[in-house]
Amino acid sequence: MNRRHFISSGAFAAALSASNPKTAPAATPKRALMKLGATVMGGGGRRGAAGPEGGSERPQGGAGRGGGSSEQGFKSLGRWGIKNVVATAQIADGRQFATVEELKRLTDTADKYGISVDILNPPFLPSSHIDREQHPAIRLGESPQRDRDIEQIQTMIKNCAAAKIPCIKYNMSILGVLRTGRTPGRGDTTYSSYKLKEAHADPPLTRAGVVNADRYWERITYFLERVIPVANEYKVRMACHPNDSPVPPEGYQGVVAVLGTVEGLKKFVSIKESPYQGLNFCQGTVSEMLQNPGKEVYDVIRYFGSRKKIFNVHFRNIRGHRDDFMEVGIDEGDVDMFTAMQAYKEVDYPYMIHPDHDVSSPSDSGGEYTAFCYAYIRALIQAVDRPA
């Protein structure tokens, strides 16, 4: 192209415009894609069990806990403008999978209130301690029962696809959620806390016996090799929650918690590589893995988010560091939650961000802190969605 032709062309005009900010067209601002979400549960059944130190995973956002998501739970979320949820189906006959009809009843109920069931909680593989589990075979590596349980997960994947539920959340934890007590917080609240130096393995071993890293990885790999191909076929994401058990490298109660470190999570997502194999990214749990979460967690978000391995976010805060921390209010911990939200926007994270684990207060009937978290998350999403 000669000079005269270049000057008369659109290429020259575009180059001139780009070099002059006053004449350059304004770039379209990048929008935040994440959604405020909730976990809605139903009445009856058992609550998520704890590790032997007395902590527990406390799901938020529903009317009660247990067997299935209730209509009242969906109705209550409507008042906060929540449109996307993790939910649990009512399952009959003692099965470990929901039928298509049961799942459609769940989604139809949610739809009445303008809510989308984005993730299903299956009836097993929760975050409970293995000694309390009714269906432990997958995590214990016990065949042939683990094969039968895996078949039920495979059926659940197929049925979720038919019911248009795009994701299943699960947990491969053996030790559950380990905590050592509670610490006084602001007002009349107390915070679930963990100090490794105060932890006592009682009993010394779980029903799993000694589970070193190789054994644990074998069981995880066995599961993924049989489940992820089905998830690929039916296009249902499988979101694994990290081990909420900050144990020493040599293990605790005989178990090396391989999904309790960032390096372990990196290895996990590389097994059976797939767009349908990823994490329920519990930001609180990941922060508990780090020596300086207030500086380190943002790069962890970017690592997994840029690789599209985050399928759901539990948005909670801690004060402290690995081996010594407390679960504090969402707005008062060591992690800058605005900076964390910016990191999710930066990697174009498109799914739910929702509260996880209540602080405890004798005067909170079960909804006040959760509502505060909804408002806080909503405000952060709106803040990062504004142009700079």
Side-chain angles (χ1 to χ4, degrees):
M1 178 184 293
N2 62 37
R3 182 173 178 272
R4 179 178 298 173
H5 185 241
F6 176 77
I7 289 174
S8 65
S9 70
F12 176 76
L16 181 63
S17 175
S19 67
N20 185 350
K22 293 183 178 179
T23 60
T28 302
K30 184 176 184 178
R31 301 304 304 267
L33 303 178
M34 53 281 206
K35 309 169 181 71
L36 172 61
T39 299
V40 58
M41 305 292 282
R46 72 180 188 282
R47 184 174 174 167
E53 304 300 344
S56 66
E57 181 176 14
R58 297 168 297 282
Q60 294 182 281
R65 323 282 188 189
S69 299
S70 67
E71 184 159 355
Q72 181 57 43
F74 291 117
K75 186 185 298 184
S76 68
L77 292 175
R79 68 177 68 113
W80 312 120
I82 294 169
K83 302 296 184 184
N84 307 85
V85 299
V86 182
T88 305
Q90 294 281 0
I91 300 174
D93 306 324
R95 282 178 278 103
Q96 292 305 303
F97 67 90
T99 65
V100 175
E101 291 72 22
E102 288 166 337
L103 293 173
K104 286 186 174 178
R105 279 199 294 273
L106 174 68
T107 58
D108 287 347
T109 302
D111 189 59
K112 285 171 58 177
Y113 300 96
I115 292 173
S116 168
V117 177
D118 289 1
I119 299 179
L120 186 79
N121 264 325
F124 63 122
L125 294 181
S127 63
S128 59
H129 191 274
I130 199 70
D131 286 350
R132 297 179 174 90
E133 253 318 286
Q134 296 179 3
H135 304 279
I138 290 173
R139 286 170 286 175
L140 293 179
E142 292 179 343
S143 292
Q145 185 57 47
R146 70 170 165 179
D147 299 300
R148 291 192 284 266
D149 289 349
I150 287 171
E151 286 177 4
Q152 300 205 55
I153 290 286
Q154 293 168 333
T155 301
M156 183 77 86
I157 292 170
K158 299 173 187 176
N159 292 350
C160 279
K164 296 181 171 55
I165 298 175
C167 186
I168 295 173
K169 169 186 173 288
Y170 69 102
N171 204 303
M172 293 297 286
S173 175
I174 293 175
L175 296 176
V177 181
L178 296 177
R179 298 292 185 265
T180 54
R182 302 199 71 85
T183 302
R186 62 187 178 188
D188 63 350
T189 63
T190 60
Y191 305 140
S192 181
S193 304
Y194 180 80
K195 293 181 182 291
L196 176 61
K197 64 183 180 181
E198 297 178 3
H200 303 287
D202 182 20
L205 297 179
T206 72
R207 69 199 286 188
V210 175
V211 184
N212 62 22
D214 288 342
R215 287 179 182 172
Y216 212 144
W217 282 121
E218 182 279 329
R219 295 171 192 181
I220 290 170
T221 302
Y222 189 94
F223 175 84
L224 294 177
E225 286 179 342
R226 289 154 180 79
V227 167
I228 299 305
V230 180
N232 287 339
E233 180 180 356
Y234 289 92
K235 296 180 172 52
V236 173
R237 295 184 298 277
M238 297 297 294
C240 183
H241 193 292
N243 293 158
D244 195 345
S245 309
V247 305
E250 64 273 17
Y252 183 81
Q253 286 194 288
V255 177
V256 176
V258 297
L259 300 184
T261 68
V262 173
E263 290 306 311
L265 296 180
K266 289 179 179 179
K267 178 174 179 176
F268 175 83
V269 298
S270 72
I271 300 171
K272 297 302 291 182
E273 172 60 38
S274 161
Y276 301 98
Q277 143 75 335
L279 299 173
N280 182 118
F281 189 87
C282 180
Q283 184 178 300
T285 298
V286 172
S287 296
E288 295 159 15
M289 301 174 185
L290 305 173
Q291 288 301 332
N292 192 342
K295 291 186 177 179
E296 299 174 56
V297 73
Y298 318 111
D299 282 342
V300 182
I301 294 169
R302 293 184 185 101
Y303 179 90
F304 291 105
S306 65
R307 289 161 175 79
K308 308 306 177 188
K309 293 301 180 184
I310 301 179
F311 298 157
N312 188 41
V313 172
H314 286 170
F315 200 65
R316 65 177 172 89
N317 211 338
I318 70 163
R319 187 180 302 151
H321 52 78
R322 184 177 178 87
D323 301 333
D324 188 347
F325 64 86
M326 63 186 78
E327 297 180 85
V328 298
I330 192 172
D331 62 319
E332 58 169 339
D334 291 339
V335 175
D336 184 322
M337 301 299 262
F338 178 74
T339 302
M341 193 69 78
Q342 286 179 312
Y344 293 113
K345 178 184 176 182
E346 179 184 325
V347 297
D348 294 321
Y349 171 68
Y351 306 120
M352 285 189 291
I353 293 185
H354 55 98
D356 183 49
H357 293 200
D358 301 325
V359 301
S360 180
S361 165
S363 59
D364 186 344
S365 61
E368 294 173 6
Y369 177 72
T370 304
F372 170 75
C373 290
Y374 291 150
Y376 190 86
I377 294 170
R378 172 85 74 196
L380 286 183
I381 293 174
Q382 291 175 344
V384 302
D385 196 34
R386 296 293 183 266

